[in-house]
Amino acid sequence: MKLPYTFESSVTSANRITIPTMLTYIETSDRIEGYIQLLTDDKPYPFDKKLSSSRHITIGHIKSFLPSKQLPSRVLVTIQKIHKSISEALEFNLISYRDIRGNYTMNYSTIKPVASEQLLLDNFTQDFFFAFFSNIEAEINQFLEPFYVEETKKWVSPVNLMVDNEFGAKIPVLLFLVLSQDYYQKFNDSFSKIELLIQRLSNWIYELDDFNVETLSKLSSQLQNIIEHDKEPEYLDMKAILSLPDLQREIVLIALKEHRNGGITLTTLTTQVKETKQRVSVEIDELAKNGILRLFEEGDSTIIDTLWII
């Protein structure tokens, strides 16, 4: 539906008009802005109303602006803007499922999904893992077949990442990109960039615990920037790393080497670069701010690790 959209409507005795059934995009609880015109008068009378459960909007307040203080039986209605309700305004969500103490459970979502959506993803995940362990030798694509959810009017694109568990066996982690129709089109247009980002993430991950709030929140932001703004993260290749200032370059190269060991402690790193802890900390903070390194606490130690952009 292109806006503005004008249609002729009858007015009920309760001063309500009904949204035509053909306008399926407009749904219960959406807020509509527009104006009313009398069939005998081009003057616009604005309204801004929320759609009721019966797909009516009330326009009784317009009566006070009319010369006769009375609405005619039929009017012209022009819709200028549609403000989707909160549940329908969600255009992008990243949801992750992984093994948590033997249960394949949702461990992250950018925004909490509605109950019906979560139930659908729960069932998809259980079916997927059952099929995986029933035929563990089968080859599985990284990007699984997208599907459409009629109830929420969303597309879901599942992504499978294979990760080592604590016993060294490869098991899947599922990511779900939940997208509005508009975002799904943008997702398809930017697929090669999204595929590159996911592949870099897949190469970077080495254990299940990497699927934490910090990691997935950063990934969610990067995915949304690609889909919404066609803007990729600023990836650093070796040439870019070697052009960093001397101390930053040394820190990054050591952190890269130690990534598969789970990172390196600040104390050990400081010893290796032969600098004061204060100066090393300043450079690490700068690299972390630019999304090149991450810092986290493990016991009494600060751990330095790389991120997937390098």
Side-chain angles (χ1 to χ4, degrees):
M1 182 183 75
K2 293 184 178 180
L3 299 179
Y5 181 86
T6 301
F7 61 93
E8 186 175 331
S9 175
S10 60
V11 180
T12 71
S13 58
N15 296 317
R16 299 189 302 177
I17 60 174
T18 303
I19 300 298
T21 55
M22 70 181 72
L23 304 182
T24 55
Y25 177 73
I26 303 176
E27 299 170 292
T28 300
S29 297
D30 290 349
R31 186 166 61 84
I32 305 168
E33 287 185 57
Y35 57 87
I36 301 293
Q37 290 172 291
L38 310 184
L39 299 183
T40 57
D41 185 358
D42 289 336
K43 183 178 178 179
Y45 299 94
F47 68 87
D48 182 342
K49 288 291 181 181
K50 184 177 179 180
L51 192 65
S52 73
S53 58
S54 56
R55 289 177 57 82
H56 286 102
I57 55 174
T58 57
I59 54 171
H61 68 290
I62 289 173
K63 287 197 305 180
S64 61
F65 298 100
L66 300 177
S68 64
K69 308 295 182 185
Q70 184 66 42
L71 278 166
S73 60
R74 298 191 69 79
V75 294
L76 285 176
V77 182
T78 297
I79 298 173
Q80 294 175 298
K81 292 183 181 179
I82 301 166
H83 302 273
K84 300 299 290 179
S85 63
I86 292 174
S87 61
E88 292 302 324
L90 173 62
E91 296 179 307
F92 170 85
N93 199 1
L94 175 69
I95 300 170
S96 169
Y97 281 75
R98 52 154 286 198
D99 176 28
I100 300 177
R101 295 182 293 278
N103 295 310
Y104 300 101
T105 308
M106 187 178 80
N107 71 310
Y108 175 86
S109 63
T110 308
I111 301 171
K112 183 175 175 59
V114 297
S116 59
E117 198 170 73
Q118 183 172 342
L119 179 61
L120 185 150
L121 297 183
D122 286 348
N123 291 336
F124 181 99
T125 300
Q126 294 299 328
D127 291 344
F128 176 86
F129 277 102
F130 177 79
F132 172 80
F133 287 112
S134 297
N135 188 10
I136 204 163
E137 299 300 323
E139 187 173 337
I140 306 174
N141 293 331
Q142 190 164 75
F143 284 84
L144 307 178
E145 191 69 29
F147 56 91
Y148 184 67
V149 184
E150 181 65 40
E151 184 178 347
T152 58
K153 305 291 192 294
K154 299 291 193 308
W155 281 93
V156 178
S157 179
V159 181
N160 166 51
L161 298 174
M162 301 300 294
V163 186
D164 289 337
N165 67 5
E166 58 186 312
F167 305 109
K170 292 282 186 185
I171 65 168
V173 170
L174 286 179
L175 303 178
F176 294 98
L177 280 70
V178 183
L179 307 153
S180 67
Q181 181 65 53
D182 181 49
Y183 266 42
Y184 182 61
Q185 182 59 55
K186 293 179 180 180
F187 165 84
N188 288 325
D189 293 343
S190 304
F191 183 75
S192 61
K193 296 175 181 177
I194 293 167
E195 190 176 31
L196 174 61
L197 175 61
I198 294 296
Q199 189 55 56
R200 293 183 74 110
L201 174 75
S202 180
N203 293 339
W204 172 82
I205 285 167
Y206 78 99
E207 63 179 8
L208 279 172
D209 286 344
D210 285 332
F211 287 93
N212 53 42
V213 171
E214 177 199 7
T215 297
L216 292 165
S217 178
K218 191 176 294 292
L219 175 65
S220 173
S221 178
Q222 290 172 341
L223 284 167
Q224 191 158 6
N225 270 334
I226 291 175
I227 294 170
E228 187 169 352
H229 305 295
D230 199 32
K231 183 179 179 182
E232 290 182 280
E234 188 175 339
Y235 299 124
L236 273 72
D237 57 15
M238 189 54 69
K239 181 180 178 180
I241 293 171
L242 293 177
S243 68
L244 291 170
D246 291 349
L247 183 54
Q248 288 192 5
R249 180 178 66 246
E250 192 173 1
I251 290 169
V252 169
L253 290 173
I254 292 172
L256 269 173
K257 182 181 177 183
E258 296 296 329
H259 172 63
R260 289 296 170 182
N261 296 321
I264 184 170
T265 66
L266 177 58
T267 302
T268 304
L269 179 58
T270 301
T271 301
Q272 290 194 23
V273 298
K274 299 181 174 62
E275 279 289 352
T276 65
K277 183 174 285 190
Q278 182 179 5
R279 188 174 173 207
V280 171
S281 294
V282 168
E283 298 300 334
I284 288 173
D285 287 344
E286 180 67 21
L287 290 164
K289 186 175 74 174
N290 293 330
I292 298 171
L293 297 181
R294 65 170 181 153
L295 290 77
F296 59 96
E297 300 300 319
E298 198 171 87
D300 296 328
S301 299
T302 300
I303 307 297
I304 315 303
D305 193 12
T306 58
L307 280 169
W308 52 88
I309 69 165
I310 65 174

